[in-house]
């Protein structure tokens, strides 16, 4: 089979999503399945829907368009604030978008009127992580302005933590989001339908027995695809951590000195790697590189160590494996390695499932 390739087990992804949908459902929280790491894969999207996610979310309109083209039957939310320059496409292909700038919502309104459609808006609130979000004090006036715009439907509010600064979702910041929903309803006499509390980093909080308040949605990507929570990157009980694996092929296997010889300057990536002499080592080169994966995000089988990578070469050392030319090595991936592999045209994606239900027609 061709290499490098991602092996994508749709049954395991579906299982992971289903378990999270069930556990969170007991707390009144629905799941938006986040597909941004999958490059708009219709098969994965359908596996998530099969598992009971309520809607799909993606950060890129291109991915949403790909899923639409494949007739994935779901409500789709653009979870990154739309670019002004993409407003027309957003209105055409996404049902809802997450927003923080009134200028963008005005443009969405303009384009929605031209297209004779309605577009849903979730307003994102800044609660400490300092990525996207309206400052809480400015939220009410932004809701008011949003409500005044033709063909725009105010769907709710949300927040995103643990992405830029690692701020953990907790009782305090989640309570603020709940209070904001309550005060919008009390002040403006409307229903805030969606209160989206965050991403995979919120799972621990949501299942801890904490007061959930008004939070009724989480946007989950990594936890479903990789089976781990994202505050400490620990496996989630009952989930598969090997639903997606990377397989790459050995193109050179030799015994080599561990210490380079000659005068040392920068390597291909402008670094000067530290050097220790460990004598002769068994080194293997795999035909995959920085273009395709994040080498620091690969977990090799026991007995094999990832030493580094240049654009097209991944260097391994092993003390127990027979890694001859043509052999294949299978890795687990972290999110950053996964995203790069998914988006690399050099990495083949091989889907596996026990049923054909996942394949949209
Ligand atoms: C990426 C992203 C998510 C999903 O994050 P995971 O850690 O993959 O669960 C949710 N919301 C927003 C706004 C995002 O950008």
């Amino acid at each position: 089979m061709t290499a490098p390739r991602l092996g994508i087990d749709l049954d395991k992804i579906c299982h992971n999503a289903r378990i999270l949908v069930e556990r969170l459902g007991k707390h009144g929280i629905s799941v938006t399945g986040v597909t941004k790491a999958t490059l708009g894969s219709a098969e994965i999207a359908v596996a998530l829907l099969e598992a009971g996610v309520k809607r799909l979310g993606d950060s890129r309109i291109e991915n949403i368009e790909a899923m639409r083209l494949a007739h994935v039957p779901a409500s789709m939310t653009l979870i990154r604030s739309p670019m002004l320059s993409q407003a027309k496409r957003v209105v055409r292909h996404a049902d809802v978008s997450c927003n923080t700038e009134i200028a963008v919502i005005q443009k969405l309104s303009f384009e929605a009127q031209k297209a004779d459609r309605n577009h849903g808006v979730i307003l994102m609130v800044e609660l400490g992580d300092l990525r996207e979000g309206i400052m809480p004090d400015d939220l009410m006036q932004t809701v008011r302005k949003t409500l005044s715009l033709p063909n725009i439907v105010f769907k709710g509010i949300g927040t995103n933590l643990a992405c830029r600064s690692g701020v953990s979702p907790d009782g305090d910041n989640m309570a603020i989001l709940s209070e904001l929903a309550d005060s919008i309803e009390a002040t403006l006499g409307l229903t805030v339908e969606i209160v989206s509390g965050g991403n995979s980093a919120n799972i621990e909080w949501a299942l801890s027995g904490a007061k959930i308040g008004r939070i009724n949605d989480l946007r989950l990507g990594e936890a479903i695809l990789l089976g781990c929570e994202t505050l400490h990157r620990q496996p989630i009980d009952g989930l598969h951590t090997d639903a997606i694996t990377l397989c790459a092929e050995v193109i050179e296997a030799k015994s080599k000195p561990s210490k380079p010889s000659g005068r040392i300057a920068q390597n291909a990536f402008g670094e000067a790697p530290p050097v220790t002499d460990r004598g002769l080592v068994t080194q293997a080169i795999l035909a995959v590189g920085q273009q395709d994966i994040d080498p620091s995000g690969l977990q090799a089988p026991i007995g094999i160590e990832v030493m580094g990578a240049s654009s097209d070469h991944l260097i391994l050392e092993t003390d127990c494996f027979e890694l001859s030319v043509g052999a294949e090595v299978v890795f687990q991936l972290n999110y950053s390695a996964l995203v790069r592999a998914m988006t690399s045209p050099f990495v083949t994606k091989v889907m596996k499932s026990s049923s054909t239900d996942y394949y949209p027609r």
Side-chain angles (χ1 to χ4, degrees), residues 36-55:
K36 69 188 184 202
T38 74
L39 202 61
S41 156
E43 291 89 346
I44 296 177
V46 172
L48 300 182
L49 292 170
E50 190 81 8
V53 308
K54 191 160 179 183
R55 57 183 89 80

Side-chain angles (χ1 to χ4, degrees), residues 324-352:
S324 48
V325 171
E328 292 187 335
V329 182
V330 177
F331 301 87
Q332 287 195 37
L333 308 95
N334 74 3
Y335 197 73
S336 127
L338 172 65
V339 170
R340 251 193 254 179
M342 275 285 185
T343 51
S344 170
F346 303 101
V347 179
T348 305
K349 287 82 190 173
V350 181
M351 308 272 173
K352 184 181 112 180

Side-chain angles (χ1 to χ4, degrees), residues 65-299:
E65 287 168 352
M67 291 188 285
R68 289 281 190 229
L69 210 63
H71 304 291
V72 172
S75 167
M76 299 202 195
T77 301
L78 183 68
I79 60 175
R80 183 175 72 180
S81 185
M83 291 180 231
L84 279 176
S85 59
Q86 291 188 333
K88 187 174 174 180
R89 293 166 73 179
V90 172
V91 161
R92 178 156 308 177
H93 299 288
D95 303 287
V96 176
S97 59
C98 294
N99 283 270
T100 63
E101 293 287 353
I102 205 71
V104 173
I105 306 170
Q106 280 165 342
K107 186 82 188 289
L108 293 170
S109 166
F110 175 76
E111 293 293 350
Q113 290 172 73
K114 278 210 306 197
D116 194 23
R117 308 170 72 103
N118 286 332
H119 183 72
V121 162
I122 293 175
L123 294 176
M124 297 298 278
V125 185
E126 167 60 53
L127 289 179
D129 200 53
L130 304 180
R131 205 180 72 178
E132 77 274 33
I134 297 160
M135 297 304 286
D137 286 349
D138 299 333
L139 183 62
M140 197 65 76
Q141 68 174 35
T142 311
V143 177
R144 279 205 171 92
K145 282 186 193 155
T146 301
L147 290 168
S148 74
L149 291 169
N151 297 51
I152 293 293
V153 182
F154 172 66
K155 298 291 282 185
I157 60 176
T159 195
N160 195 66
L161 298 171
C163 270
R164 178 186 165 191
S165 312
V167 171
S168 302
D170 61 20
D172 295 338
N173 45 41
M174 289 298 105
I176 295 174
L177 196 65
S178 286
E179 284 159 20
L180 287 168
D182 286 341
S183 78
I184 290 168
E185 291 186 348
T187 310
L188 302 174
L190 48 79
T191 308
V192 178
E193 182 189 326
I194 299 173
V195 184
S196 189
N199 53 45
S200 295
N202 286 63
I203 292 174
E204 201 175 275
W205 164 81
L207 300 179
S208 69
K211 279 237 292 277
I212 297 301
R214 294 289 309 270
I215 311 302
N216 61 13
D217 174 75
L218 290 181
R219 309 173 306 274
L220 304 182
E222 183 167 347
I224 295 173
L225 298 174
L226 299 180
C228 65
E229 54 80 40
T230 56
L231 289 177
H232 316 287
R233 297 259 151 33
Q234 292 303 307
I236 298 173
D237 195 34
L239 266 57
H240 299 289
T241 58
D242 61 350
I244 306 180
T245 55
L246 176 87
C247 183
E249 183 176 330
V250 177
I251 53 171
E252 183 189 292
K254 294 189 191 307
S255 182
K256 289 197 181 185
S258 51
K259 187 171 184 290
S261 50
R263 280 197 305 136
I264 304 288
Q266 291 183 352
N267 70 5
F269 288 93
E271 304 149 346
V275 168
T276 48
D277 192 351
R278 293 169 288 114
L280 279 181
V281 293
T282 307
Q283 174 181 294
I285 298 177
L286 271 57
V288 67
Q290 295 269 6
Q291 278 199 73
D292 318 294
I293 42 94
D294 175 357
S296 66
L298 293 181
Q299 191 187 320

